[in-house]
Amino acid sequence: MKVHIEPKPQNMVNTFLLIFVIHSMQVGVGIQGFQRIIYMEARHDAWISVILSGIATAIIGFIMVKTLSLYENSDIYGIQYDVLGKWLGNLINILFVIYFLGGFHIIVRNYVEVLQAWVFPEVPNWLIALTLVYLVYYGLNGGLRTVVGVSFFSVILSLWLILLLAYPFQFTNWDYLFPMFEAKITEILRGAKQMTFTVIGFEIIYVIYPFLKEKDRVHKYMQYGLGFTTILYLALMVVSLAYFSGGQLERTIWGTLSLFKIVRFPFIERFEYVAITFWVLLILPNLMLYMWAATRGISRIFNKKEQKVSWVLLLFIFLTLLYPLSRVQINLFNDYFARGALYIVFAYPLLLFGVVLIKKKLFRKKDEANAQ
């Protein structure tokens, strides 16, 4: 495996678009109902947990970019191969591929469940899954620039949904926000930990970094994307705390979608149907980038063409989606994936950064000794 990557000019992406890539990766199925699980841990101080999770993503995002900048032009697969060696490095690379495929699988599972529970209860799982898999394959055929374009339009075309969330303001009871600062530090931290499943996705920088043009601006635009996401989640949490009572919020599985239920137009009676079906535009960048990252990994590890690899992986994922799961099983899957993501996204980058620093310093000393 080549450690350094030399992408073709036609495959390079403007770094400014990283804002939309990061934000679109963090806004998917997790945003539909994150309020309940955070409130059950931190109660009225759930908004503090959201802020802490945003700070954590900013710190880890900085560490990720700093690690990548220590190499001329490489991704997570090349760095691990270089630092950990052929066998251990490729083993960790395969674990990252499994993680990306797991992210793809769980997003489709959750969206299919919401779609069937709210809009199309009679439509079979395999038909919805097949539609999403085909859309992902169609996007991947266009290359990375097409996928990044989907991320850009996903954010731009969904801004009107965010504006409509101002509608519940006229029905809010701000007394529901009190008492503040009643939760213990441990409870607030547990609430921040529960945000893991909601805020992950920014780790895509590990794979997309070599294809960004202005490397010196990567960190700035990444932090813009992370900050935009944190502000959005904070606003949603505050509105939800002020709209729902504590008992209501504990019983509301999909808090964000429930906020759309009160939106009324003369020509649309059930606006939440529009929001849920439109949500496919929000999850498509997630699916495309996760599959693209997994395809890149297999292609680099085994030296195979990306198009053939994507065919095989999409077929494999589709077959796994045919097996039906209950609501309880999907929740368990979400919990297990979130636990794994906590270590992969928030703990492992610190370890990898330390190992890369040590190796770079050792080689620098050896080079200086040889020069003398």
Side-chain angles (χ1 to χ4, degrees):
M1 179 192 297
K2 292 183 179 180
V3 176
H4 296 289
I5 302 172
E6 297 179 0
K8 297 179 180 178
Q10 62 268 27
N11 294 330
M12 298 293 286
V13 177
N14 195 310
T15 308
F16 172 74
L17 296 174
L18 184 62
I19 299 175
F20 302 94
V21 171
I22 297 298
H23 179 68
S24 64
M25 284 297 292
Q26 289 187 288
V27 177
V29 293
I31 195 176
Q32 295 172 343
F34 74 100
Q35 298 95 325
R36 172 175 168 268
I37 58 175
I38 312 304
Y39 179 82
M40 292 177 69
E41 295 290 348
R43 313 302 292 179
H44 297 92
D45 295 326
W47 58 274
I48 303 178
S49 297
V50 175
I51 294 175
L52 290 180
S53 71
I55 294 173
T57 58
I59 294 172
I60 297 301
F62 169 76
I63 294 296
M64 289 178 174
V65 175
K66 198 69 177 175
T67 304
L68 291 162
S69 66
L70 292 174
Y71 283 80
E72 184 179 346
N73 202 36
S74 187
D75 58 5
I76 185 67
Y77 302 116
I79 292 174
Q80 290 178 153
Y81 183 88
D82 179 57
V83 172
L84 303 176
K86 179 180 178 180
W87 297 108
L88 181 58
N90 279 337
L91 177 62
I92 303 297
N93 286 339
I94 290 173
L95 290 178
F96 264 82
V97 171
I98 294 173
Y99 167 77
F100 290 134
L101 292 176
F104 185 102
H105 181 99
I106 206 167
I107 290 170
V108 175
R109 282 284 186 189
N110 281 273
Y111 183 68
V112 169
E113 183 196 18
V114 170
L115 206 59
Q116 289 181 326
W118 287 70
V119 186
F120 303 121
E122 302 298 328
V123 177
N125 290 0
W126 67 267
L127 183 58
I128 303 174
L130 180 62
T131 303
L132 293 173
V133 167
Y134 175 75
L135 287 174
V136 171
Y137 173 73
Y138 186 77
L140 290 178
N141 271 351
L144 178 61
R145 291 171 67 92
T146 300
V147 175
V148 172
V150 172
S151 300
F152 173 79
F153 284 107
S154 170
V155 175
I156 297 300
L157 296 178
S158 61
L159 288 176
W160 63 279
L161 287 174
I162 300 174
L163 296 176
L164 286 177
L165 289 174
Y167 193 89
F169 264 94
Q170 57 186 311
F171 303 106
T172 52
N173 183 352
W174 297 105
D175 291 336
Y176 287 161
L177 293 175
F178 299 95
M180 290 185 179
F181 310 110
E182 63 169 350
K184 299 177 182 178
I185 297 296
T186 55
E187 292 173 335
I188 294 175
L189 291 176
R190 285 201 301 268
K193 179 183 175 182
Q194 291 292 342
M195 281 289 293
T196 301
F197 179 73
T198 307
V199 299
I200 58 174
F202 64 97
E203 66 276 6
I204 197 67
I205 187 65
Y206 269 148
V207 188
I208 202 175
Y209 180 83
F211 298 90
L212 299 175
K213 292 181 179 179
E214 303 92 354
K215 297 292 190 293
D216 57 325
R217 300 182 181 180
V218 170
H219 179 247
K220 178 177 72 173
Y221 289 132
M222 184 172 184
Q223 293 296 342
Y224 286 163
L226 294 172
F228 183 31
T229 305
T230 301
I231 292 171
L232 173 62
Y233 282 131
L234 179 61
L236 279 172
M237 178 56 78
V238 171
V239 171
S240 299
L241 289 172
Y243 179 77
F244 299 104
S245 66
Q248 287 176 324
L249 198 54
E250 287 181 347
R251 296 189 300 270
T252 304
I253 298 176
W254 294 294
T256 304
L257 298 180
S258 297
L259 290 174
F260 284 116
K261 291 180 69 174
I262 65 173
V263 178
R264 291 288 184 272
F265 291 106
F267 51 91
I268 300 177
E269 180 64 24
R270 300 294 298 272
F271 180 77
E272 67 270 22
Y273 289 176
V274 177
I276 293 168
T277 51
F278 191 83
W279 217 272
V280 69
L281 188 62
L282 294 177
I283 68 168
L284 269 180
N286 292 230
L287 298 176
M288 289 182 180
L289 283 165
Y290 270 140
M291 183 54 65
W292 176 79
T295 301
R296 284 283 304 169
I298 296 295
S299 175
R300 279 173 58 70
I301 294 169
F302 298 103
N303 195 24
K304 301 293 183 181
K305 291 185 177 180
E306 290 187 28
Q307 190 171 12
K308 292 181 179 179
V309 172
S310 64
W311 261 102
V312 175
L313 292 182
L314 285 170
L315 178 61
F316 169 75
I317 283 291
F318 175 69
L319 292 176
T320 62
L321 291 167
L322 295 179
Y323 185 78
L325 294 178
S326 64
R327 172 65 195 171
V328 175
Q329 290 172 322
I330 293 175
N331 273 342
L332 285 174
F333 195 8
N334 290 346
D335 291 340
Y336 288 134
F337 184 79
R339 290 177 190 176
L342 181 65
Y343 295 105
I344 292 174
V345 179
F346 289 94
Y348 180 70
L350 298 172
L351 177 62
L352 182 63
F353 179 60
V355 173
V356 171
L357 271 182
I358 292 172
K359 180 172 182 180
K360 290 292 183 181
K361 287 184 177 180
L362 288 176
F363 270 86
R364 189 179 305 159
K365 289 180 179 179
K366 286 182 179 179
D367 290 340
E368 290 176 354
N370 291 334
Q372 290 177 358

